[in-house]
Amino acid sequence: MFAVAAVAILASLALAIARAIAGPTLFDRVLAGNTVGTLAILLLAVFGFLTGRPEFLDLGLTYGLLNLIGTLAVLKFFRYGDLAHDDDAGDRAR
Amino acid sequence: MRTISLAFILYVFWLVLSGYFKPFLLIAGAICAVLCALAAGRLNAADEEGHPNHLILRTPTYYPWLLWEIAKSAWSVTKIILHPKLPISPTMSVVRASQRTAAGIATYANSITLTPGTITADVQGNDLTIHALVADGATDVEGGEMDRRVRAFEGGA
Amino acid sequence: MTLAVDIASWVLIVLGSFFTVVGAFGLVRMPEVFTRMHAASVIETLGAGFLIFGMCLQAGFTLVTLKLLFILALFFFFAPVVTHALARAVLHAGIEPKLAEDRRAAAKQRLAASGEGRQP
């Protein structure tokens, strides 16, 4: 039964990667990348059950935390061209 | 008080992640949790906004309703995706959040975004710009039932 | 009893797989970036939720279940943050969504007329 879930998640991954390649804008790619991250966590969990090794869940948790930070960092970088940008400083200056 | 509850939650997180219950690891986890909680206190990260522990006990009043809403709207989005004609009518609107605290507004905005079919696209003070997949979704949010429930959830804080 | 739990978890896992594939299909099918976000949020809510609850039933009452619930809580709190950040970034990049109906101006006027919002 976990094999069915694994196949479904792999098919979804393929569709998400197709969207990442097709674009057309940067934000479509970021969205697709974030979806790939989500699906990878699910795939890690399912794979842990499939092989009877639940240690994969720890990898999934770590990947989930990194996925959030990574997506936000990419968005911030492409908006300001700077990862240490202080948005509040701009608001105060205005 | 907030520092203690934050340290407790961090310690539970440590225990769940480690899964070993040897004395050395238990003590090391306790020390790490307390140090992290103290550091968060010095960073002012454990205030009413960053660690809203007064809301934890109130979750049963709001989250079950939210989960049911998510399930309903996710099903309707699923039907739209699988519909051969793709009957979407994207709509943007502005709604006002009536919550008084930052945590309340964040809860409301996140609830809107978490519900498939509606996204909070911008926040200016109390005014949330929302994007809905179909016009009915925007009308539902403008109706303000979720707003009232989040305000009740936020309580007298 | 075990059989009943097994069947329930299978049903949940199949449902989760179904919603995951539907969400990814919507990601490819939707016409522009805002509408794609709605499709992606189906994966993050119903797809992930059903799959993880199904796996919880298989794991029984162990540490694995707690970890799975932590992952679910992670989705529950972080998915809207990312989606909101993305939507905001798209708006600030000057990409206007194709809309069937734009109620922003009218709603703003109505809110300004009703007055007394707490402004930062």
Side-chain angles (χ1 to χ4, degrees), chain A residues 17-76:
Chain A
I17 290 173
R19 172 49 69 200
I21 292 171
T25 64
L26 166 79
F27 301 105
D28 290 292
R29 297 197 167 98
V30 174
L31 177 64
N34 183 50
T35 309
V36 167
T38 306
L39 290 170
I41 298 165
L42 291 175
L43 187 62
L44 276 170
V46 169
F47 196 70
F49 275 91
L50 200 60
T51 54
R53 294 178 59 195
E55 299 88 34
F56 278 105
L57 287 175
D58 298 340
L59 301 181
L61 264 174
T62 317
Y63 201 83
L65 294 167
L66 283 176
N67 192 25
L68 170 86
I69 297 168
T71 309
L72 290 183
V74 168
L75 285 174
K76 197 164 186 182

Side-chain angles (χ1 to χ4, degrees), chain A residues 1 19 28 34 39 58, chain C residues 10 20 27-28 36 44 67:
Chain A
M1 188 46 60
R19 172 49 69 200
D28 290 292
N34 183 50
L39 290 170
D58 298 340
Chain C
W10 290 351
T20 309
L27 198 64
V28 173
R36 279 173 201 141
E44 279 157 356
K67 275 182 197 168

Side-chain angles (χ1 to χ4, degrees), chain B residues 28-134:
Chain B
I31 292 171
C32 286
V34 170
L35 282 180
C36 282
L38 288 177
R42 278 189 66 82
L43 285 168
N44 293 328
D47 53 4
E48 191 174 294
E49 186 183 342
H51 181 58
N53 59 355
H54 55 284
L55 295 179
I56 291 176
L57 290 177
R58 307 178 67 97
T59 48
T61 60
Y62 177 58
Y63 279 39
W65 180 82
L66 176 64
L67 290 179
W68 179 237
E69 282 299 301
I70 288 171
K72 273 195 298 188
S73 55
W75 176 240
S76 64
V77 172
T78 305
K79 277 191 292 192
I80 290 168
I81 291 173
L82 292 179
H83 197 284
K85 281 186 199 154
L86 205 63
I88 57 171
S89 51
T91 307
M92 288 192 92
S93 184
V94 180
V95 294
R96 175 157 287 168
S98 62
Q99 288 78 31
R100 287 177 300 280
T101 58
I105 294 174
T107 308
Y108 182 41
N110 267 9
S111 303
I112 292 175
T113 312
L114 197 56
T115 315
T118 46
I119 289 175
T120 314
D122 205 354
V123 181
Q124 301 276 343
N126 268 24
D127 294 344
L128 315 178
T129 307
I130 58 166
H131 180 277
L133 186 59
V134 289

